[in-house]
Amino acid sequence: MSISQNLLRIKSSLPEEVTLVAVSKTKPISDLMEAYEVGQRIFGENKIQEMAEKWELMPKDIQWHMIGHVQTNKVKFMAPFVHLIHGVDSLKLLEEINKQALKNNRIIDCLLQIHIAEEETKFGLDQDELNVLLASPTFQKMKNIRVVGLMGMATFTNVQNQIKKEFAYLKSIFDDLQPLNIEQCQLSTLSMGMSGDYQLAIACGSTMVRIGSSIFGGR
Ligand SMILES: *Cc1c(COP(=O)(O)O)cnc(C)c1O
């Protein structure tokens, strides 16, 4: 199957309210353009430099999502154009995003990444760290960022119950935060689900799925 066929098949299988991020990391622009030509406008990358290069060369109505771990010193390269940063997991990083957004006269939307997997290697905040961050006066003074939701990655396993438990946990944190009344927080997006587990993620309440290999093929 071609990229456009994969994309259209997946897209038609998603509920209307679920947003599809086409994860195009490592793929050439010609592959992204094949998806663009059948209507895809949201692309996800995990390296800032690669995303910036593609942004320069591709149509300007594309929304670029940074889905990878972000190094503070590289935020400036994406601040002029990034649409949503998924992997924010520290106050220090938020401060830098806020600073660079201000320089560019923008408000940058972010998701806070929550650690839900068993693996040590996956980035993200635990529930206590999340609460500390949200309650921090430094955070509540930031004017150029907006936290629009949460993001998480499940453990890499075939055990469906394990994945389901982790997604359900993230959804419960998301729901618990809804009464929160902080200007910088408007929580509407729950980014969870990749090629191998997006159907389960949607069943658990995901509103945004990040799908790469099922669209563009293996990397
Ligand atoms: C690569 C990546 C994806 C997409 O993974 P696939 O299994 O190819 O769909 C989703 N989210 C993040 C954070 C990634 O790094």
Side-chain angles (χ1 to χ4, degrees), residues 58-135:
M58 292 187 66
K60 290 297 170 279
D61 60 345
I62 291 173
Q63 297 179 1
W64 293 99
H65 287 210
M66 174 43 57
I67 62 168
H69 186 68
V70 176
Q71 284 174 278
T72 316
N73 61 347
K74 293 195 176 147
V75 171
K76 55 180 177 286
F77 300 118
M78 64 176 165
F81 69 91
V82 68
H83 188 79
L84 180 63
I85 304 175
H86 289 235
V88 179
D89 64 357
S90 74
L91 189 60
K92 185 171 145 255
L93 179 55
L94 268 178
E95 285 185 273
E96 177 64 13
I97 297 168
N98 188 57
K99 182 176 138 195
Q100 296 299 335
L102 176 62
K103 274 193 190 165
N104 286 276
N105 199 20
R106 299 184 65 207
I107 292 173
I108 296 182
D109 285 351
C110 300
L111 302 177
L112 296 177
Q113 183 170 356
I114 309 298
H115 182 97
I116 56 171
E118 272 187 341
E119 296 114 330
E120 294 279 331
T121 52
K122 292 202 170 131
F123 297 102
L125 301 156
D126 66 28
Q127 206 161 4
D128 289 340
E129 292 166 334
L130 172 68
N131 291 333
V132 169
L133 190 157
L134 293 174

Side-chain angles (χ1 to χ4, degrees), residues 23 25 67 151 153 194-195 210-213 219:
V23 175
K25 60 192 186 196
I67 62 168
M151 179 269 209
M153 286 171 86
M194 321 187 354
S195 291
R210 310 175 308 269
I211 300 180
S213 47
R219 289 178 296 269

Side-chain angles (χ1 to χ4, degrees), residues 2-9 11 31-41 43 215:
S2 68
I3 291 168
S4 54
Q5 285 172 319
N6 290 336
L7 181 88
L8 293 173
R9 176 177 47 83
K11 198 141 192 159
D31 285 7
L32 280 70
M33 282 309 295
E34 192 176 333
Y36 181 88
E37 267 146 26
V38 290
Q40 185 63 25
R41 292 294 181 271
F43 291 90
I215 298 172

